[in-house]
Amino acid sequence: MLRIALCDDQTDARDALRIQLEKILREESEEIVYEFSTGTNAASWLAKHPGEIDLLLLDVEMKGLNGMETAEKIRTFDKNLIIVFVTGYADYVFDGYRVGALDYLMKPVSEHKLRDLIHRVRTKLAEEAAQSFTVKNIDGTWRFRLCDILYFYSDRRLVTLVTENGSYPFYAKLDDVETQLTPHFVRIHQRYLVNPANVDHIGAGTVTLGDTDLPCSKRYQENARRRIAETMLDN
């Protein structure tokens, strides 16, 4: 799956880039999800929808918040989004490294360069897939790095993924989530699955992550203590 957003204040430029992308993208698993006409709107939307976009093609020369300023704002809340600048001036190339941009495309964007870029993005996402978890619900699709997930908890058929920035519910069985994420996560309770790398303390009947105390039942306590201790020693 590859989800792309375009940000350019010129409608013609967005249309041209979209047409080129549509020739390259795989219909069954890749799509242009959103288009933004201002950097302010792009940054604001992305802040509220973490992990919903994999790649942002971002114009540098925009009115108001320009591309570089937009990228700087995005990096305050998202270090992982793949950002690629689209620009008519090579002078901006080196500035891109400052915000962790993957690359830049010179206008007018050639099909060859775009194909090469999409191939690199696909490769990067494939390499990261084993270290990520995807949530799908009625509000959209999010991809999270495993290291950013604190824990999961379940309430009947509803499982909620919890990060420092928010909670994301989806329909699943916690047993299935555990199977998928073993050995990266450890079960501490019938309703809780935690990331041992983010555990600060394990007590007699609780596990602490930051300011949150979660119950640790006797059934899982021995294995949880061992796994969490091993992770703490490895770190």
Side-chain angles (χ1 to χ4, degrees), residues 8 17 57-61 84-88 103-107 109:
D8 195 310
L17 190 53
L57 293 170
L58 180 59
D59 182 37
V60 176
E61 303 86 31
V84 172
F85 286 113
V86 183
T87 178
D103 207 342
Y104 74 97
L105 297 171
M106 292 294 297
K107 292 182 177 181
V109 179

Side-chain angles (χ1 to χ4, degrees), residues 23 25 39 54 67 110 112 127 139 173 183 199 229 232:
K23 297 176 184 177
L25 298 182
D54 303 304
S110 73
H112 171 73
E127 291 172 349
D139 295 319
K173 292 182 179 179
V199 170
M232 287 179 171

Side-chain angles (χ1 to χ4, degrees), residues 202-206 216-226:
I202 179 167
T206 60
C216 184
S217 63
K218 290 182 179 180
R219 174 183 175 185
Y220 300 100
Q221 196 168 78
E222 183 178 347
N223 182 60
R225 280 181 175 276
R226 177 179 57 81

Side-chain angles (χ1 to χ4, degrees), residues 191-228:
R191 295 178 58 192
Y192 291 91
L193 181 68
V194 303
N195 184 346
N198 289 322
V199 170
D200 297 308
H201 176 74
I202 179 167
T206 60
V207 169
T208 303
L209 299 91
D211 297 326
T212 303
D213 291 328
L214 303 178
C216 184
S217 63
K218 290 182 179 180
R219 174 183 175 185
Y220 300 100
Q221 196 168 78
E222 183 178 347
N223 182 60
R225 280 181 175 276
R226 177 179 57 81
R227 290 281 311 283
I228 292 169

Side-chain angles (χ1 to χ4, degrees), residues 11-12 24 61 77 91 108 113 138-139 148 152-153 159 195:
T11 303
D12 290 347
I24 299 170
E61 303 86 31
F77 58 81
D91 297 345
K113 291 286 188 181
I138 59 173
D139 295 319
D148 294 329
F152 296 84
Y153 71 87
V159 174
N195 184 346

Side-chain angles (χ1 to χ4, degrees), residues 113-175:
K113 291 286 188 181
L114 194 57
R115 284 187 180 278
D116 178 69
L117 171 71
I118 295 300
H119 174 73
R120 290 169 58 201
V121 171
R122 287 169 179 158
T123 301
K124 180 177 174 63
L125 291 176
E127 291 172 349
E128 294 175 350
Q131 295 297 320
S132 65
F133 184 84
T134 301
V135 168
K136 295 181 180 179
N137 59 26
I138 59 173
D139 295 319
T141 302
W142 293 269
R143 182 182 285 116
F144 298 92
R145 295 191 308 167
L146 298 186
C147 62
D148 294 329
I149 302 172
L150 298 178
Y151 62 92
F152 296 84
Y153 71 87
S154 67
D155 182 6
R156 296 182 178 87
R157 289 282 297 176
L158 192 67
V159 174
T160 300
L161 179 154
V162 180
T163 72
E164 289 185 353
N165 297 320
S167 301
Y168 305 86
F170 59 102
Y171 285 101
K173 292 182 179 179
L174 193 60
D175 288 348

Side-chain angles (χ1 to χ4, degrees), residues 36-49:
F36 304 101
S37 59
T38 70
T40 299
N41 287 344
S44 176
W45 188 90
L46 289 166
K48 298 174 183 176
H49 298 79

